[in-house]
Amino acid sequence: MRRMTDSRQLIDVALVAWFALTGLGAAYVAYDAFVRTPEMRVMKWGWLLVTLYTGPVGAAVYVLACQEPAPGAHEQFVRPLWKQALGSTIHCLAGDASGIVFAAAVTAALGLPMGLDLVVEYVLGFAFGLFVFQALFMRGMLGGSYARAVRRAFLPEWLSMNAVMAGMTPVMAVLMSRDMRAMEATSLRFWGVMSLASLVGAAVAYPVNAWLVAVGMKHGMGTERVLGAGGHPIAVERGREARLAAAGTTARGAATPETGAVADTRGPRGEMGAMSHEMPRIAPATPATPAPAQPERHSDGPEDPGVPPAMVHGGMGTPERPAATTAQVAAVTILTVLALGAGTLVAALGGDLTMRPGMPAAPASGHAAPGTGMPAMPGMPPTR
């Protein structure tokens, strides 16, 4: 009994230290992101929220992958695909985890069983990620109108959400089944479990987001200097297909919406420009190629005709990196659904999905008695 008490005290001390570091890390990220780093505003909030959820790990990742190392160097610094994919993951986790944490707190207050809790968390997490963090905050980059943004973001957000929940579900179910206090939003252990679950969810979602960014179905990290505070001009988004058809794109680039000129979307050393945020090089248009008609403008933000066509959303791809095929999208969809199923299976086998806050159910053989961290002995009632 003494050993069990010491273990609980050690966990509580570790959690206090963890959240003290979380507070310091969040304060640093908030200052640096909103004052020094020219990231898009939605990503500033995304990094702050994710740091609150993932603690010092999130702050460290921000420094390594997003913090501008020198004035004017942010575009080049965030250019690598792994950083673009990380930005996409952070954006997804900020929205999804916010909905999940809110749902977990509400369902705990209502006394819902763990199994129903997980369903509500999935629905609210997906809804908040899609309708708020994607469609609302990114509508300028997803077609301008809210309804269009919802349609464009639905599939990539769903695939990413499946991966996030595949990682978070087993962590929440298994750990909360072994400690009733972890189901109460007023307990530090609840937030400790949610923090660990967010870290695991981010790790599982990263490969999916890397693929989504690589094929153009999601954006990576941007910068206000190039994309503007509200995203690139909608003229770029709406006119891309017409430009590709009218200008006859080659492996060197695509026609720009303003002049019909051919923009070289490749960066230094011939690298792909799809993940780049630097201004494209513009070559003179040939007289034989007529400039396409100007698309209708409804941009919320500043016009920036220099934004590379490769920066548009929707999975249409670029000459250097073709869009995903239908078979590839189907394969990734199946993989994320299987991952979600596997996470749910682990949750069911390792946790107790019938548990309710304040009403511990009798644990299965070998499971820890809720609230004790100790295996239940045959013939003994569960400990409250």
Side-chain angles (χ1 to χ4, degrees):
M1 182 64 69
R2 177 64 180 274
R3 182 176 300 177
M4 181 180 65
T5 302
D6 292 343
S7 176
R8 289 182 178 181
Q9 292 177 345
L10 182 61
I11 292 175
D12 291 337
V13 170
L15 287 174
V16 170
W18 174 264
F19 285 112
L21 292 175
T22 296
L24 293 175
Y28 177 79
V29 169
Y31 169 78
D32 189 84
F34 284 92
V35 176
R36 297 184 61 252
T37 299
E39 183 60 87
M40 294 181 65
R41 182 164 295 275
V42 65
M43 286 302 301
K44 296 174 188 287
W45 284 106
W47 278 108
L48 175 57
L49 287 172
V50 169
T51 302
L52 288 172
Y53 299 148
T54 61
V57 175
V61 171
Y62 169 81
V63 171
L64 294 173
C66 183
Q67 184 182 59
E68 188 173 44
H74 190 257
E75 290 84 0
Q76 187 67 24
F77 181 69
V78 301
R79 182 176 181 175
L81 177 59
W82 74 268
K83 293 180 182 179
Q84 292 292 304
L86 186 58
S88 177
T89 306
I90 295 300
H91 184 235
C92 171
L93 186 66
D96 296 348
S98 295
I100 291 170
V101 171
F102 175 77
V106 171
T107 55
L110 295 176
L112 299 182
M114 177 71 70
L116 183 56
D117 173 36
L118 294 175
V119 173
V120 175
E121 288 175 11
Y122 180 91
V123 173
L124 255 62
F126 177 64
F128 192 81
L130 174 63
F131 295 115
V132 179
F133 255 73
Q134 290 289 346
L136 181 61
F137 293 162
M138 302 292 286
R139 66 186 183 278
M141 300 183 77
L142 298 176
S145 73
Y146 183 76
R148 177 182 173 90
V150 170
R151 292 194 302 270
R152 297 289 293 274
F154 182 87
L155 179 58
E157 173 64 19
W158 180 59
L159 296 177
S160 187
M161 175 63 187
N162 285 345
V164 169
M165 203 62 180
M168 294 187 69
T169 294
V171 174
M172 294 185 294
V174 172
L175 294 183
M176 289 181 176
S177 294
R178 282 156 172 72
D179 191 336
M180 287 301 301
R181 288 175 294 176
M183 296 188 72
E184 304 289 345
T186 55
S187 169
L188 199 62
R189 295 197 177 194
F190 170 88
W191 298 101
V193 170
M194 298 308 295
S195 184
L196 178 59
S198 297
L199 284 168
V200 176
V204 177
Y206 178 80
V208 176
N209 278 270
W211 181 82
L212 290 170
V213 170
V215 299
M217 291 180 69
K218 288 191 72 175
H219 292 283
M221 282 188 282
T223 172
E224 289 182 346
R225 284 192 292 257
V226 174
L227 294 179
H232 66 244
I234 297 175
V236 175
E237 180 79 15
R238 294 185 174 180
R240 183 173 188 269
E241 293 185 27
R243 291 196 310 275
L244 292 177
T249 58
T250 65
R252 290 285 297 172
T256 65
E258 302 297 325
T259 64
V262 175
D264 185 357
T265 58
R266 297 186 300 176
R269 303 182 305 279
E271 295 174 356
M272 180 191 69
M275 304 309 153
S276 172
H277 299 289
E278 61 184 351
M279 303 292 283
R281 297 185 295 275
I282 306 298
T286 60
T289 303
Q294 291 284 344
E296 184 181 359
R297 301 182 185 278
H298 297 282
S299 177
D300 296 330
E303 288 294 327
D304 186 359
V307 177
M311 289 303 303
V312 299
H313 190 284
M316 291 181 286
T318 66
E320 292 86 355
R321 189 179 292 270
T325 64
T326 301
Q328 289 173 341
V329 173
V332 172
T333 301
I334 292 172
L335 288 175
T336 63
V337 172
L338 289 176
L340 180 60
T344 304
L345 181 61
V346 172
L349 295 177
D352 183 359
L353 301 187
T354 66
M355 283 183 56
R356 298 172 181 266
M359 297 177 60
S365 176
H367 284 190
T372 67
M374 298 180 63
M377 299 299 293
M380 292 182 62
T383 304
R384 288 187 177 273

